[in-house]
Amino acid sequence: MLNQADIARIRSCDLNLLLCLAVLIEEQSVSKSAERLGLSQPAMSQNLKKLHKLFDEPLFVKQGQGIAATEKAQNLYQPLHQWLQLSSRLLLQKPFLPEEATGKIRFSMVADVAEAFVPQLLARMMQDAPNVELEFIHKPSDIFAMLESGDLDIAAGGVELPPPNVYGRRTSTERYLVFFSPEHPLAGLKNPTLADVFAFEHARYSSSNLVEQQIDQLAQEQGFTRRCSFSSSSILVLLQSLKAGRHLAFLPERFLRRREQLSYLELSEIPWAEGMLYWHARVHKDPLIQWFKDLCLDLVQEMIAAGSLPQSAGSSVTAPAATPA
């Protein structure tokens, strides 16, 4: 039972502010948060001031063109997110119970992420939704086409402009490094530069096609010619090919944990890559798919906290231009 002090505290608080706080933490932007909540930017700015007053300390600091959540705000996000989800279920009056759910979920992500992610996912699924079947599909070349056709329910990929009927949620950001054999000529150079990197032959990791396109663009902008004489969609094959000592490859920082006797180079010019989770408007209100999506996002955050996935840069939702009824 709520005591009188709790009742008085809740009555004195505008609970809509807590929704604003959750969205501000996700978006890291006053203007984007205002747009998402259907508010004017001045109104959102006023809500931000009210939140600072409510918690008696700043919850955000200015960062570039946006804002960054303080440690206090980040610590509030998880219980706040859970409370908002529970509130939504209470309002629907038809709570979704994963332990009673049945059906099949088809999902996709790059194999090296799946290697760490899937065991934890299956453990949670067996515990929370034992009657739901999962089908893992190795990251296809066109996830949007498969989401459109219904051959995929949910897919992880890079940041790109989706079709108007596909939703997306940003999950993480990660630095890319140059990997190569210790026997490669680059290993013998003192303080190698970007020009040195593009002077050698490259191996292309085709499962990270968006990042490879960014590297191609970087070479073009800097006036370099990129020579790719080997490519593979298999990370195992690609890593083994680097050991031959002929090629360089641009790979995520997470591969530092499994370098397999490879050397690496950090260069500030190399772009960072963001990860997204995508799903079709057709399943946007499907309770099973939405539960599974939230489970995936929670597991990503847990793995980030444990250091087994790259650090999150905040998350946001990209909604379709027009949502079907």
Side-chain angles (χ1 to χ4, degrees), residues 82 200 208 259 281 290:
Q82 292 172 350
F200 297 104
S208 292
R259 274 163 44 194
Q290 290 306 302

Side-chain angles (χ1 to χ4, degrees), residues 162 166-170 276-279 316-320:
V166 171
Y167 284 79
R169 178 74 174 266
R170 187 171 284 103
M276 295 284 289
L277 201 61
Y278 295 104
W279 63 97
S316 61
V317 172
T318 303

Side-chain angles (χ1 to χ4, degrees), residues 113-276:
V113 175
E115 183 179 356
F117 186 80
V118 167
Q120 297 191 46
L121 175 64
L122 288 176
R124 289 286 295 272
M125 291 292 293
M126 287 189 290
Q127 174 184 323
D128 298 341
N131 300 314
V132 174
E133 180 184 352
L134 285 181
E135 180 182 356
F136 172 73
I137 299 173
H138 181 69
K139 185 175 181 295
S141 57
D142 191 343
I143 59 175
F144 295 144
M146 293 191 71
L147 289 171
E148 290 266 14
S149 67
D151 293 326
L152 266 179
D153 296 309
I154 197 161
V159 175
E160 55 184 312
L161 184 63
N165 53 0
V166 171
Y167 284 79
R169 178 74 174 266
R170 187 171 284 103
T171 56
S172 62
T173 186
E174 188 171 20
R175 181 173 55 169
Y176 269 60
L177 308 173
V178 183
F179 285 83
F180 50 94
S181 166
E183 307 302 319
H184 192 281
L186 189 68
L189 299 182
K190 185 178 181 180
N191 300 322
T193 65
L194 189 66
D196 295 321
V197 168
F198 281 104
F200 297 104
E201 293 182 66
H202 293 182
R204 184 183 291 267
Y205 182 32
S206 54
S207 288
S208 292
N209 190 46
L210 284 175
V211 174
E212 293 292 350
Q213 291 175 13
Q214 289 180 285
I215 300 299
D216 291 340
Q217 184 177 353
L218 175 64
Q220 185 176 4
E221 290 173 351
Q222 298 292 327
F224 301 130
T225 299
R226 188 181 185 202
R227 294 176 294 145
C228 297
S229 55
F230 183 79
S231 66
S232 176
S233 62
S234 165
I235 191 59
L236 295 176
V237 172
L238 191 75
L239 290 172
Q240 292 302 314
S241 74
L242 295 180
K243 294 179 182 179
R246 177 179 175 181
H247 297 93
L248 312 171
F250 294 87
L251 297 173
E253 187 177 15
R254 62 180 176 267
F255 284 102
L256 288 176
R257 299 182 186 89
R258 50 179 294 180
R259 274 163 44 194
E260 303 187 21
Q261 301 177 336
L262 293 173
S263 298
Y264 70 96
L265 174 65
E266 301 177 32
L267 289 172
S268 60
E269 299 95 334
I270 300 175
W272 289 56
E274 293 181 322
M276 295 284 289

Side-chain angles (χ1 to χ4, degrees), residues 90-103:
L90 287 172
L91 292 172
L92 287 172
Q93 298 181 353
K94 292 182 179 180
F96 172 74
L97 300 175
E99 64 272 19
E100 297 179 2
T102 58

Side-chain angles (χ1 to χ4, degrees), residues 80-93:
L80 185 59
H81 180 64
Q82 292 172 350
W83 174 74
L84 289 169
Q85 285 185 317
L86 178 59
S87 300
S88 177
R89 293 188 189 113
L90 287 172
L91 292 172
L92 287 172
Q93 298 181 353

